[in-house]
Amino acid sequence: MVGYKFMGKAHSHAYKDVGMFFETNADVVMKAICGRDEQGVKAAADKFGWESYETDWRKLVEREDIDIVDINAPSDAHKEITLAAIAAGKHVFCEKPLALNLADGREMLAAAEKAGVKHAICFNYRFLPAVQLAKQIIDEGRLGEIHHYRATYLQDWLVDPNFPLAWRLKKEVAGSGAHGDLNAHSIDLARFLIGEFDRVIGHNRTFVKQRPIPESSEGLSGNGSAEYGEVTVDDATGFLADFKNGAMGMFIASRFATGRKNHNTFEIHGSKGSIRWDLERLNELEVYFREDEPNLAGFRTINATDASHKYAGNWWPVGHAIGYEHGFVHIVYEFVKHIMEGTPFTPTFLDGVRCQEVLEAVDLSIERGAWVSIEEV
Amino acid sequence: MVGYKFMGKAHSHAYKDVGMFFETNADVVMKAICGRDEQGVKAAADKFGWESYETDWRKLVEREDIDIVDINAPSDAHKEITLAAIAAGKHVFCEKPLALNLADGREMLAAAEKAGVKHAICFNYRFLPAVQLAKQIIDEGRLGEIHHYRATYLQDWLVDPNFPLAWRLKKEVAGSGAHGDLNAHSIDLARFLIGEFDRVIGHNRTFVKQRPIPESSEGLSGNGSAEYGEVTVDDATGFLADFKNGAMGMFIASRFATGRKNHNTFEIHGSKGSIRWDLERLNELEVYFREDEPNLAGFRTINATDASHKYAGNWWPVGHAIGYEHGFVHIVYEFVKHIMEGTPFTPTFLDGVRCQEVLEAVDLSIERGAWVSIEEV
Amino acid sequence: MVGYKFMGKAHSHAYKDVGMFFETNADVVMKAICGRDEQGVKAAADKFGWESYETDWRKLVEREDIDIVDINAPSDAHKEITLAAIAAGKHVFCEKPLALNLADGREMLAAAEKAGVKHAICFNYRFLPAVQLAKQIIDEGRLGEIHHYRATYLQDWLVDPNFPLAWRLKKEVAGSGAHGDLNAHSIDLARFLIGEFDRVIGHNRTFVKQRPIPESSEGLSGNGSAEYGEVTVDDATGFLADFKNGAMGMFIASRFATGRKNHNTFEIHGSKGSIRWDLERLNELEVYFREDEPNLAGFRTINATDASHKYAGNWWPVGHAIGYEHGFVHIVYEFVKHIMEGTPFTPTFLDGVRCQEVLEAVDLSIERGAWVSIEEV
Amino acid sequence: MVGYKFMGKAHSHAYKDVGMFFETNADVVMKAICGRDEQGVKAAADKFGWESYETDWRKLVEREDIDIVDINAPSDAHKEITLAAIAAGKHVFCEKPLALNLADGREMLAAAEKAGVKHAICFNYRFLPAVQLAKQIIDEGRLGEIHHYRATYLQDWLVDPNFPLAWRLKKEVAGSGAHGDLNAHSIDLARFLIGEFDRVIGHNRTFVKQRPIPESSEGLSGNGSAEYGEVTVDDATGFLADFKNGAMGMFIASRFATGRKNHNTFEIHGSKGSIRWDLERLNELEVYFREDEPNLAGFRTINATDASHKYAGNWWPVGHAIGYEHGFVHIVYEFVKHIMEGTPFTPTFLDGVRCQEVLEAVDLSIERGAWVSIEEV
């Protein structure tokens, strides 16, 4: 694994716990973790339970005892490491976004396909039981024809103007702001649930244009220094979408939505029913069926922790909530099974590319002030 | 009508609006309103739309042009006025509680039955569309055998120790505190929905035992004077109940439930389903059916404003909320129809008596520290 | 009053009840109601409590005993009646939309201003206590700088493809579909709460393009005949907006949002706090303040029925819900007070025009596929 | 560790993950797991990550390389194993209920105190961040004087009459039904949050008195055989309580609450504020403060996942939910720290005993039909 911060911790936890709750037909062994700072990566290896560590990812990807390379380093490093890992014949599990831009993403996909290695992109929210239930309901045709899709992904950690200029706020490292970080998840869920985008048009804002430069380059919440630097990514991006199936879409991602902490939601209306989900109550799914008796129809709040709900039965009895990190355990489980048993698996790099296409089409539409077709990018 | 304060206003509104939204086969004419204070009652007559006013209820009940006497004066006046109205051959619509005690209530019931007049007690919450829907679901057997009934009726207007010693806090005028005011509603709804009580046991509290005597005897929120008087009713009463059908019951009424403004709720669990309702969201009913597919079962939040819901179609299109006072319009509509067309009607004085029985059994159980059977009182 | 259907009933109720709950310094007398069908309008006059009726609105607007003309006839009749009423020196209270198009609306506004009569447009939702509270919070600066405004107005009565081709689905009578009917309310609330629009871009759909022609031209739910006609208005319209104050906006109106009955919502995020409201729970306002202690901050669900909330104290004690129709009582109260006492009043025809500008700018943006500035229309 | 079923899995997970998210100043090593069935325990050891296994708990408690014995075997085995572990000088972490009856519990407590070993009882819900926040708010006096405490613990897995006669339904093994299983948690939370019980009175039911005997003695959901056996524990128990601080309490536990899956809730009203919590939304706490401005007061829904909330900062950024099992990680963390560093720790066996006292007083009150003082048992 390359990377050992927030995502490194979430991924490590997934490898650590997957065998305890799922049968993967494989012994997942946590061989080595990699980071540039030796002290930091050594501590992480100890704490997270990795057998060894490396400070040079080039060494890591060449180790004989490694089958899967997990990449959760900052976005600007994804491409180079991925291509090297593929060249070394490793399967690759890459954090989103796949790459800083579409061209890089396509190159990574092509390389993986050519090499015949297995590849995954970590759109973890697909793997929550409530989201799986939404998918099942739609695939069974129980919502009928889809008319509306609306998604929000709202956080508020930037609303404080003294929050420092972290690397996530610099375009050259992060690629994008709320759009690439949060809309990426919403776009992937929309594609997963109702299919491909046709065209988009958006708008965005950087509400606070200058922020204090953090004294330590690592810190997210350090005391702001006296110096200020330019924020070069969006604080919020919203867009309208038309889907290929005729549905109307509406998306908003923001780091300025005061009071919303992790408000990743979707609401879908079809000719036969509707669905609503919210990551802040991730174990619940709200579902409405028109076929219910008229005086008894209403949104059902389903506690998706029953043994009848995908993955839920592997954890605890009904009513016992699971948390955010469980989605990572499930995606790791599916990817390992995919490698070992050839079971079908998405999301792959192709989904990463498709998502990137929509992100870039939105950015282009903002530049142009007019709709952009996905096929154009 | 006798009385022109809070309930007088709510009842007046019902008579005023009933003809606009319902077909009663009668012209409801607001003949006369009665109160001791001439200035006050005259103003109320003007404002509420009564043709005339009286300052002596004895005159009112003897007027030839009146068919129905509505009594919403303080509780200690109910009995005398009711008996006189019955003696004059009037139909009587009486606010709850029916009387200050069970013996008086039984006397009123006997008089009404003997005289053959129509009689009603104003348990208005029965007549909200969502509660009617609950009743219908239960009567159709869709909850199966009832196992649990839990009710709360929670307010918080007494939690401020400087709230003055209003008449509602004196036993000789009000009869009872939260118990008679709030549990009375909960007991009636329980009887309406699942049937008769078998035995009860309770406890109660008067958390603030002395309050400032209001300078004006009318005021509810006047500046407290320097003098304090004794609170002689309960601030809160809770009790357990066994129902004749075997269900377990749990009730709590309080005027000290900080943050709860009018939290009149019930939750019912049966062998086939469950129901939950809350007066603060009076247009909604939550319903759960075990017969739903296991992975899709959940509490449905039904917006009980559809034309398929009783009374709702007389107002506005689906989704347009009705309010608290609409229940009074509906009960007046049903009572007038009952008088004009002989349609079945409850709640009558009998329901007032039954409710009083449970209230008194609870009080007796508190004295004794042991269960009291309803049959005993 | 001209018109006696859904809105005629809601307005009549307001005139009937306003004097009972508010002090207007005027005796509101319901002089005459007007409609083309004598039998229908006579019945309505009786039922709603009007002293007389007319079948020709020209007669009505010339009657000497009338001060205010209330127009809630279908949209295509607004202009002609309004101009005649103004010419006759009457004050005018007009249902939304003000007119079928912007030019007509501007003409009506100019006529009213020139004649010096008082004029109002019935954006009733402004007058609910929870919405007034939202306005107060924003005006006091407690949300700080506004970053985001999102609104939905979702219904589902058209999702059944057999729902007949009612007049509301014909452009020549209704002017517009969900956009003019529902987005009009959302646009007005946004203007009321956070100010003027700068530019917009939208998309729309007519999901079901042909519907059965109703056998009776009146009926909304008649058995569809064998013949089908063209739906000439939108079933749903969504749009992005930039506000003059820099906020990002997002709006969606639909009659195809399965399960949503009257889901008129707004959510506003500012630098200091956030607000959320939903018409289906119209007595509640959710508010978040950043200034709350970090570990205790959360959206507060405020029950806006306290005496401290505008209008609420005129009805019932705290916790006793009011309903949809109360907004009409409040707007009538304010308009009458405005006429009698010269108190400030909005929304006037000017607000009707401003709203129409945004509606038309959205339509133009849909035609062009690009952003349209409000100033352009 | 003795036991390897539901609780064995939850406890194992806690030992496995604690070091990754918390600094305990100790290397927690999972030495050995113990169970009677060799095949079963061996599989569990492999899956959960234990170094070795034993089939005789007597051997386990005598192993030199073990410092802590974790006991989550069925309730009837707690006493014997605990006493042996204490005798061997081990620290003991015991699942609730501490013992089958109060006398046994007191014996265990006395033994542990005499031996000077550290002891804990697994009331895991204390250790969720939202519950910790509730505790902090109360301890800081922000609710003022406590007037009301209401708790429910509702499940519905027994409402199906064909659910087999599992060991949990036999008094000789389980000791008690819903009462000991669920009310035990509610009683402990009440003691933790507001203090000691004074007296109680209850009622209970066994709604389904006979159930099919499972063909396999292990199975919980096996096809019922043709034979039926007697259910000897309660399906539901409710009770009223008076607390020593004067608060009124109300408790209900049921396995027959259709639609409620794990509805462990408490609501507390004090003179200054109120709190509400529900395990089904375990990351949220609802709090109301009377000191808020009257027109802005409302229950706040606090997302207790912020770094300012106890334990939450050790997991993920704000808004990223944790799940049921995290409570076990936290209690293990605190117990290990207690052993290593002598930090204060509750709940100990004393809390197990206190809880058992209340449980037994309720049972006694049911027998007697009258209130029972806790001091009496």
Side-chain angles (χ1 to χ4, degrees), chain A residues 148 150 201 203 205 241-242 246-247 250-251 254 258 260-261 267 270 274 288 369 371, chain C residues 148 150 154 201 203 205 241-242 246-247 250-251 254 258 260-261 267 270 274 288 369 371:
Chain A
H148 291 290
R150 292 194 310 286
I201 182 154
H203 60 163
R205 290 287 188 289
D242 290 340
M250 197 164 247
F251 295 77
S254 178
T258 303
R260 297 300 186 189
K261 303 307 176 187
E267 180 159 337
S274 290
Y288 182 98
W371 290 88
Chain C
H148 291 290
R150 291 194 311 284
L154 304 176
I201 183 153
H203 60 162
R205 291 286 190 289
D242 289 340
M250 197 166 248
F251 295 76
S254 178
T258 303
R260 297 299 185 190
K261 302 307 175 186
E267 181 160 335
S274 291
Y288 182 99
W371 290 88

Short mmCIF file of all heavy atoms in Angstrom, two decimals, chain A residues 148 150 201 203 205 241-242 246-247 250-251 254 258 260-261 267 270 274 288 369 371, chain C residues 148 150 154 201 203 205 241-242 246-247 250-251 254 258 260-261 267 270 274 288 369 371:
data_model
loop_
_atom_site.label_atom_id
_atom_site.label_comp_id
_atom_site.label_asym_id
_atom_site.label_seq_id
_atom_site.Cartn_x
_atom_site.Cartn_y
_atom_site.Cartn_z
N HIS A 148 -36.20 11.49 -12.25
CA HIS A 148 -35.39 12.49 -11.56
C HIS A 148 -34.28 11.83 -10.74
O HIS A 148 -34.51 10.80 -10.10
CB HIS A 148 -36.25 13.28 -10.55
CG HIS A 148 -37.26 14.19 -11.18
ND1 HIS A 148 -36.91 15.31 -11.86
CD2 HIS A 148 -38.62 14.12 -11.22
CE1 HIS A 148 -38.03 15.92 -12.30
NE2 HIS A 148 -39.07 15.22 -11.93
N ARG A 150 -31.42 13.41 -7.98
CA ARG A 150 -30.82 14.58 -7.33
C ARG A 150 -29.82 14.12 -6.30
O ARG A 150 -30.12 13.21 -5.51
CB ARG A 150 -31.87 15.45 -6.62
CG ARG A 150 -32.82 16.15 -7.56
CD ARG A 150 -33.61 17.24 -6.85
NE ARG A 150 -34.23 16.78 -5.63
CZ ARG A 150 -35.29 15.99 -5.56
NH1 ARG A 150 -35.89 15.57 -6.67
NH2 ARG A 150 -35.78 15.63 -4.41
N ILE A 201 -24.37 20.94 -17.36
CA ILE A 201 -23.99 22.35 -17.29
C ILE A 201 -23.88 22.74 -15.82
O ILE A 201 -24.73 22.36 -15.01
CB ILE A 201 -24.97 23.28 -18.02
CG1 ILE A 201 -24.43 24.72 -17.93
CG2 ILE A 201 -26.38 23.20 -17.43
CD1 ILE A 201 -24.89 25.60 -19.04
N HIS A 203 -22.03 25.42 -12.49
CA HIS A 203 -21.44 26.67 -12.01
C HIS A 203 -20.65 26.34 -10.74
O HIS A 203 -20.88 25.31 -10.13
CB HIS A 203 -22.48 27.78 -11.77
CG HIS A 203 -23.55 27.49 -10.77
ND1 HIS A 203 -24.33 28.45 -10.20
CD2 HIS A 203 -23.99 26.31 -10.25
CE1 HIS A 203 -25.22 27.90 -9.39
NE2 HIS A 203 -25.04 26.62 -9.39
N ARG A 205 -17.94 28.09 -7.35
CA ARG A 205 -17.50 29.24 -6.58
C ARG A 205 -16.26 28.88 -5.77
O ARG A 205 -16.13 27.75 -5.29
CB ARG A 205 -18.56 29.65 -5.53
CG ARG A 205 -19.81 30.26 -6.01
CD ARG A 205 -19.66 31.68 -6.52
NE ARG A 205 -20.99 32.24 -6.78
CZ ARG A 205 -21.80 31.88 -7.78
NH1 ARG A 205 -21.43 30.95 -8.64
NH2 ARG A 205 -22.99 32.44 -7.92
N ALA A 241 -27.87 17.90 -15.07
CA ALA A 241 -27.49 16.84 -16.00
C ALA A 241 -28.71 16.28 -16.70
O ALA A 241 -29.79 16.22 -16.12
CB ALA A 241 -26.78 15.71 -15.23
N ASP A 242 -28.52 15.92 -17.93
CA ASP A 242 -29.49 15.05 -18.62
C ASP A 242 -28.86 13.69 -18.74
O ASP A 242 -27.69 13.57 -19.13
CB ASP A 242 -29.80 15.60 -20.02
CG ASP A 242 -30.62 16.89 -19.96
OD1 ASP A 242 -31.24 17.16 -18.92
OD2 ASP A 242 -30.61 17.62 -20.96
N GLY A 246 -33.07 9.66 -20.24
CA GLY A 246 -34.10 10.71 -20.22
C GLY A 246 -34.30 11.36 -18.88
O GLY A 246 -35.05 12.34 -18.77
N ALA A 247 -33.68 10.85 -17.84
CA ALA A 247 -33.88 11.44 -16.51
C ALA A 247 -33.20 12.80 -16.41
O ALA A 247 -32.21 13.08 -17.08
CB ALA A 247 -33.32 10.49 -15.44
N MET A 250 -29.52 16.63 -10.98
CA MET A 250 -29.15 17.86 -10.28
C MET A 250 -28.14 17.48 -9.21
O MET A 250 -28.41 16.58 -8.40
CB MET A 250 -30.42 18.40 -9.64
CG MET A 250 -30.35 19.83 -9.21
SD MET A 250 -32.04 20.44 -8.91
CE MET A 250 -32.23 21.62 -10.23
N PHE A 251 -26.98 18.12 -9.24
CA PHE A 251 -25.89 17.75 -8.33
C PHE A 251 -25.28 18.99 -7.70
O PHE A 251 -25.09 20.00 -8.35
CB PHE A 251 -24.78 17.02 -9.12
CG PHE A 251 -25.20 15.70 -9.69
CD1 PHE A 251 -25.99 15.65 -10.82
CD2 PHE A 251 -24.84 14.50 -9.08
CE1 PHE A 251 -26.41 14.43 -11.36
CE2 PHE A 251 -25.25 13.28 -9.60
CZ PHE A 251 -26.03 13.25 -10.75
N SER A 254 -20.32 20.79 -1.97
CA SER A 254 -19.84 22.01 -1.33
C SER A 254 -19.10 21.68 -0.04
O SER A 254 -19.45 20.73 0.67
CB SER A 254 -21.00 22.95 -1.01
OG SER A 254 -20.52 24.11 -0.35
N THR A 258 -22.76 25.00 5.68
CA THR A 258 -22.73 25.09 7.15
C THR A 258 -23.73 24.12 7.80
O THR A 258 -24.91 24.11 7.46
CB THR A 258 -23.06 26.53 7.57
OG1 THR A 258 -22.10 27.39 6.94
CG2 THR A 258 -22.97 26.72 9.07
N ARG A 260 -23.82 20.90 7.56
CA ARG A 260 -23.83 19.58 6.91
C ARG A 260 -22.42 19.01 7.00
O ARG A 260 -21.47 19.62 6.54
CB ARG A 260 -24.26 19.71 5.45
CG ARG A 260 -25.69 20.23 5.26
CD ARG A 260 -26.69 19.31 5.92
NE ARG A 260 -28.07 19.72 5.63
CZ ARG A 260 -29.13 19.17 6.23
NH1 ARG A 260 -28.99 18.23 7.14
NH2 ARG A 260 -30.34 19.57 5.92
N LYS A 261 -22.30 17.86 7.62
CA LYS A 261 -20.97 17.32 7.90
C LYS A 261 -20.51 16.36 6.81
O LYS A 261 -19.35 16.36 6.43
CB LYS A 261 -20.97 16.62 9.26
CG LYS A 261 -21.40 17.54 10.41
CD LYS A 261 -20.59 18.82 10.46
CE LYS A 261 -21.07 19.78 11.53
NZ LYS A 261 -20.39 21.08 11.44
N GLU A 267 -31.70 11.29 -4.16
CA GLU A 267 -33.13 11.04 -4.20
C GLU A 267 -33.49 10.78 -5.65
O GLU A 267 -33.11 11.53 -6.55
CB GLU A 267 -33.91 12.24 -3.64
CG GLU A 267 -35.41 12.01 -3.66
CD GLU A 267 -36.19 12.90 -2.70
OE1 GLU A 267 -35.61 13.39 -1.69
OE2 GLU A 267 -37.40 13.10 -2.94
N GLY A 270 -39.00 7.59 -9.82
CA GLY A 270 -39.35 6.84 -11.02
C GLY A 270 -40.85 6.75 -11.17
O GLY A 270 -41.60 7.21 -10.30
N SER A 274 -39.91 5.69 -5.55
CA SER A 274 -38.83 6.64 -5.26
C SER A 274 -37.93 6.08 -4.17
O SER A 274 -38.34 5.23 -3.37
CB SER A 274 -39.42 7.98 -4.79
OG SER A 274 -40.06 8.64 -5.85
N TYR A 288 -40.35 4.51 -1.51
CA TYR A 288 -41.79 4.73 -1.71
C TYR A 288 -42.23 3.91 -2.92
O TYR A 288 -41.59 3.95 -3.96
CB TYR A 288 -42.04 6.21 -1.97
CG TYR A 288 -43.50 6.60 -2.16
CD1 TYR A 288 -44.25 7.12 -1.11
CD2 TYR A 288 -44.12 6.47 -3.39
CE1 TYR A 288 -45.57 7.48 -1.27
CE2 TYR A 288 -45.46 6.83 -3.57
CZ TYR A 288 -46.17 7.33 -2.50
OH TYR A 288 -47.49 7.69 -2.67
N GLY A 369 -20.17 28.44 -20.32
CA GLY A 369 -21.50 28.96 -19.99
C GLY A 369 -22.61 28.28 -20.78
O GLY A 369 -23.68 28.84 -20.97
N TRP A 371 -24.23 24.12 -22.16
CA TRP A 371 -24.23 22.68 -21.98
C TRP A 371 -23.05 22.02 -22.72
O TRP A 371 -22.70 22.45 -23.82
CB TRP A 371 -25.51 22.07 -22.52
CG TRP A 371 -26.74 22.40 -21.73
CD1 TRP A 371 -27.54 23.48 -21.88
CD2 TRP A 371 -27.30 21.60 -20.68
NE1 TRP A 371 -28.58 23.43 -20.97
CE2 TRP A 371 -28.47 22.28 -20.23
CE3 TRP A 371 -26.95 20.39 -20.07
CZ2 TRP A 371 -29.27 21.78 -19.20
CZ3 TRP A 371 -27.74 19.89 -19.06
CH2 TRP A 371 -28.89 20.59 -18.63
N HIS C 148 -25.35 29.44 -0.33
CA HIS C 148 -26.14 28.46 -1.09
C HIS C 148 -27.63 28.63 -0.83
O HIS C 148 -28.04 28.85 0.32
CB HIS C 148 -25.78 27.03 -0.66
CG HIS C 148 -24.41 26.59 -1.05
ND1 HIS C 148 -24.05 26.34 -2.35
CD2 HIS C 148 -23.30 26.35 -0.31
CE1 HIS C 148 -22.78 25.95 -2.39
NE2 HIS C 148 -22.31 25.96 -1.16
N ARG C 150 -31.04 26.35 -2.03
CA ARG C 150 -31.60 25.24 -2.82
C ARG C 150 -33.08 25.11 -2.51
O ARG C 150 -33.48 25.15 -1.34
CB ARG C 150 -30.92 23.90 -2.47
CG ARG C 150 -29.48 23.83 -2.92
CD ARG C 150 -28.94 22.41 -2.88
NE ARG C 150 -29.22 21.75 -1.62
CZ ARG C 150 -28.58 21.99 -0.48
NH1 ARG C 150 -27.61 22.87 -0.44
NH2 ARG C 150 -28.89 21.33 0.60
N LEU C 154 -42.03 19.76 -5.11
CA LEU C 154 -42.27 18.46 -5.72
C LEU C 154 -43.65 17.92 -5.40
O LEU C 154 -44.05 17.87 -4.23
CB LEU C 154 -41.20 17.48 -5.23
CG LEU C 154 -39.75 17.91 -5.47
CD1 LEU C 154 -38.79 16.91 -4.85
CD2 LEU C 154 -39.48 18.05 -6.96
N ILE C 201 -29.98 29.19 -15.66
CA ILE C 201 -29.99 28.24 -16.78
C ILE C 201 -30.77 27.01 -16.35
O ILE C 201 -30.58 26.51 -15.23
CB ILE C 201 -28.58 27.86 -17.25
CG1 ILE C 201 -28.72 26.92 -18.45
CG2 ILE C 201 -27.77 27.19 -16.14
CD1 ILE C 201 -27.57 26.96 -19.38
N HIS C 203 -33.39 23.32 -17.46
CA HIS C 203 -33.83 22.25 -18.39
C HIS C 203 -35.21 21.81 -17.93
O HIS C 203 -35.61 22.07 -16.79
CB HIS C 203 -32.85 21.08 -18.45
CG HIS C 203 -32.58 20.35 -17.18
ND1 HIS C 203 -32.02 19.10 -17.13
CD2 HIS C 203 -32.80 20.71 -15.87
CE1 HIS C 203 -31.89 18.72 -15.88
NE2 HIS C 203 -32.35 19.66 -15.09
N ARG C 205 -38.80 18.96 -18.82
CA ARG C 205 -39.29 17.73 -19.45
C ARG C 205 -40.82 17.74 -19.46
O ARG C 205 -41.45 18.25 -18.51
CB ARG C 205 -38.92 16.48 -18.64
CG ARG C 205 -37.48 16.10 -18.62
CD ARG C 205 -37.00 15.49 -19.92
NE ARG C 205 -35.65 14.95 -19.72
CZ ARG C 205 -34.56 15.70 -19.56
NH1 ARG C 205 -34.63 17.01 -19.57
NH2 ARG C 205 -33.38 15.11 -19.39
N ALA C 241 -29.09 28.90 -10.56
CA ALA C 241 -29.15 30.35 -10.51
C ALA C 241 -27.91 30.92 -9.84
O ALA C 241 -27.37 30.31 -8.92
CB ALA C 241 -30.39 30.79 -9.74
N ASP C 242 -27.51 32.06 -10.32
CA ASP C 242 -26.57 32.89 -9.57
C ASP C 242 -27.34 34.08 -9.04
O ASP C 242 -28.12 34.71 -9.79
CB ASP C 242 -25.44 33.40 -10.49
CG ASP C 242 -24.49 32.27 -10.90
OD1 ASP C 242 -24.46 31.24 -10.21
OD2 ASP C 242 -23.80 32.43 -11.91
N GLY C 246 -24.07 36.87 -4.83
CA GLY C 246 -23.01 35.90 -4.98
C GLY C 246 -23.39 34.47 -4.63
O GLY C 246 -22.61 33.54 -4.87
N ALA C 247 -24.57 34.28 -4.09
CA ALA C 247 -24.98 32.92 -3.71
C ALA C 247 -25.26 32.06 -4.94
O ALA C 247 -25.64 32.56 -6.00
CB ALA C 247 -26.22 32.98 -2.83
N MET C 250 -30.22 26.60 -6.74
CA MET C 250 -30.61 25.37 -7.41
C MET C 250 -32.09 25.15 -7.15
O MET C 250 -32.50 25.14 -5.99
CB MET C 250 -29.78 24.24 -6.80
CG MET C 250 -29.73 23.00 -7.58
SD MET C 250 -28.39 21.94 -6.93
CE MET C 250 -27.24 22.00 -8.29
N PHE C 251 -32.85 25.00 -8.23
CA PHE C 251 -34.30 24.91 -8.10
C PHE C 251 -34.84 23.75 -8.93
O PHE C 251 -34.41 23.54 -10.05
CB PHE C 251 -34.96 26.21 -8.60
CG PHE C 251 -34.63 27.41 -7.76
CD1 PHE C 251 -33.39 28.03 -7.87
CD2 PHE C 251 -35.54 27.92 -6.84
CE1 PHE C 251 -33.06 29.13 -7.09
CE2 PHE C 251 -35.22 29.02 -6.06
CZ PHE C 251 -33.98 29.63 -6.18
N SER C 254 -41.49 19.81 -9.89
CA SER C 254 -41.94 18.65 -10.65
C SER C 254 -43.30 18.18 -10.17
O SER C 254 -43.62 18.28 -8.98
CB SER C 254 -40.93 17.50 -10.51
OG SER C 254 -41.39 16.35 -11.20
N THR C 258 -42.59 11.11 -7.57
CA THR C 258 -43.36 10.06 -6.90
C THR C 258 -43.14 10.05 -5.38
O THR C 258 -42.00 10.00 -4.92
CB THR C 258 -42.97 8.69 -7.49
OG1 THR C 258 -43.22 8.75 -8.90
CG2 THR C 258 -43.79 7.57 -6.89
N ARG C 260 -43.71 12.44 -3.26
CA ARG C 260 -43.66 13.79 -2.70
C ARG C 260 -44.99 14.46 -3.02
O ARG C 260 -45.36 14.59 -4.18
CB ARG C 260 -42.50 14.59 -3.30
CG ARG C 260 -41.13 14.01 -2.99
CD ARG C 260 -40.86 13.99 -1.50
NE ARG C 260 -39.50 13.56 -1.19
CZ ARG C 260 -39.09 13.28 0.05
NH1 ARG C 260 -39.92 13.36 1.07
NH2 ARG C 260 -37.86 12.90 0.28
N LYS C 261 -45.70 14.89 -2.00
CA LYS C 261 -47.05 15.39 -2.20
C LYS C 261 -47.09 16.91 -2.34
O LYS C 261 -47.84 17.45 -3.14
CB LYS C 261 -47.94 14.96 -1.02
CG LYS C 261 -48.00 13.45 -0.83
CD LYS C 261 -48.39 12.72 -2.12
CE LYS C 261 -48.32 11.21 -1.97
NZ LYS C 261 -48.55 10.52 -3.25
N GLU C 267 -33.37 25.20 1.48
CA GLU C 267 -32.24 25.04 2.38
C GLU C 267 -31.23 26.11 2.03
O GLU C 267 -30.88 26.28 0.87
CB GLU C 267 -31.63 23.64 2.28
CG GLU C 267 -30.47 23.45 3.23
CD GLU C 267 -30.14 21.98 3.53
OE1 GLU C 267 -31.03 21.11 3.42
OE2 GLU C 267 -28.98 21.71 3.89
N GLY C 270 -25.32 29.83 5.02
CA GLY C 270 -24.57 31.08 5.09
C GLY C 270 -23.29 30.89 5.88
O GLY C 270 -23.03 29.80 6.40
N SER C 274 -27.31 28.04 8.96
CA SER C 274 -28.11 27.44 7.89
C SER C 274 -29.56 27.30 8.32
O SER C 274 -29.85 27.25 9.53
CB SER C 274 -27.57 26.05 7.53
OG SER C 274 -26.31 26.15 6.91
N TYR C 288 -29.38 26.02 12.03
CA TYR C 288 -28.06 25.67 12.55
C TYR C 288 -27.24 26.94 12.72
O TYR C 288 -27.22 27.77 11.82
CB TYR C 288 -27.35 24.75 11.55
CG TYR C 288 -25.99 24.27 11.98
CD1 TYR C 288 -25.82 23.01 12.55
CD2 TYR C 288 -24.86 25.04 11.80
CE1 TYR C 288 -24.57 22.55 12.92
CE2 TYR C 288 -23.59 24.60 12.17
CZ TYR C 288 -23.45 23.35 12.73
OH TYR C 288 -22.22 22.90 13.11
N GLY C 369 -30.04 26.98 -24.48
CA GLY C 369 -29.00 26.09 -23.96
C GLY C 369 -27.86 26.83 -23.30
O GLY C 369 -26.74 26.31 -23.21
N TRP C 371 -26.78 30.26 -20.31
CA TRP C 371 -27.21 31.14 -19.24
C TRP C 371 -27.92 32.36 -19.80
O TRP C 371 -27.53 32.90 -20.83
CB TRP C 371 -26.02 31.63 -18.43
CG TRP C 371 -25.38 30.57 -17.59
CD1 TRP C 371 -24.39 29.71 -17.98
CD2 TRP C 371 -25.66 30.27 -16.22
NE1 TRP C 371 -24.04 28.89 -16.94
CE2 TRP C 371 -24.80 29.21 -15.83
CE3 TRP C 371 -26.55 30.77 -15.27
CZ2 TRP C 371 -24.81 28.66 -14.56
CZ3 TRP C 371 -26.56 30.23 -14.00
CH2 TRP C 371 -25.71 29.18 -13.66
#
